[in-house]
Amino acid sequence: LSYLWWYSSHSSHVIISGIRESSHIYNMSQSIEKRPSFGPIDASKFPRRWDNLVGTDVNYAAKIVKTENPQVNKVQIVRPGQPVTKDLRQDRVRLFVDNKMQIIQTPRIG
């Protein structure tokens, strides 16, 4: 049994914020229902891009993305001219839309 440590820059204390169970590290704030009951999840089983959603309604696209890939925790809607960060997140999909809220670019993980 090992621990995940978090260091606070506001104090000189190291705080134990999670535990390691079955080769997975969990935040203590995570609910039990979200934890896998056995082994790691094979990410290759889920789609990473959705070419077929270009031209569809944003609400429909968001529903499909969340349904087909349970690892996606955040679906971000990006309107024309809206700035986005360059960070890559494996749990996020951005939906680029036009003024009619139709998907104009292939949604993908990142």
Side-chain angles (χ1 to χ4, degrees):
L1 185 65
S2 59
Y3 297 91
L4 172 67
W5 295 15
W6 174 71
Y7 177 76
S8 172
S9 61
H10 300 291
S11 69
S12 60
H13 295 88
V14 174
I15 300 168
I16 298 172
S17 64
I19 58 174
R20 183 180 171 122
E21 300 173 11
S22 307
S23 76
H24 296 320
I25 296 175
Y26 299 105
N27 229 333
M28 293 303 280
S29 62
Q30 262 186 327
S31 67
I32 293 172
E33 293 79 27
K34 291 184 179 180
R35 296 180 186 176
S37 59
F38 56 90
I41 296 174
D42 184 5
S44 65
K45 293 181 180 179
F46 305 113
R48 298 186 52 79
R49 56 183 292 145
W50 291 265
D51 297 315
N52 59 326
L53 294 179
V54 175
T56 62
D57 177 68
V58 69
N59 294 321
Y60 172 76
K63 183 177 176 181
I64 294 297
V65 167
K66 287 182 179 181
T67 302
E68 291 185 359
N69 191 333
Q71 293 181 322
V72 173
N73 294 324
K74 182 174 183 176
V75 174
Q76 181 182 11
I77 298 169
V78 182
R79 292 184 166 85
Q82 181 178 342
V84 294
T85 60
K86 292 185 178 184
D87 64 324
L88 295 176
R89 291 184 47 184
Q90 298 302 311
D91 66 337
R92 175 184 63 205
V93 172
R94 288 184 173 139
L95 300 177
F96 292 88
V97 297
D98 60 12
N99 292 329
K100 296 178 183 177
M101 300 302 283
Q102 301 293 311
I103 304 299
I104 57 172
Q105 184 177 333
T106 300
R108 64 190 63 175
I109 298 284

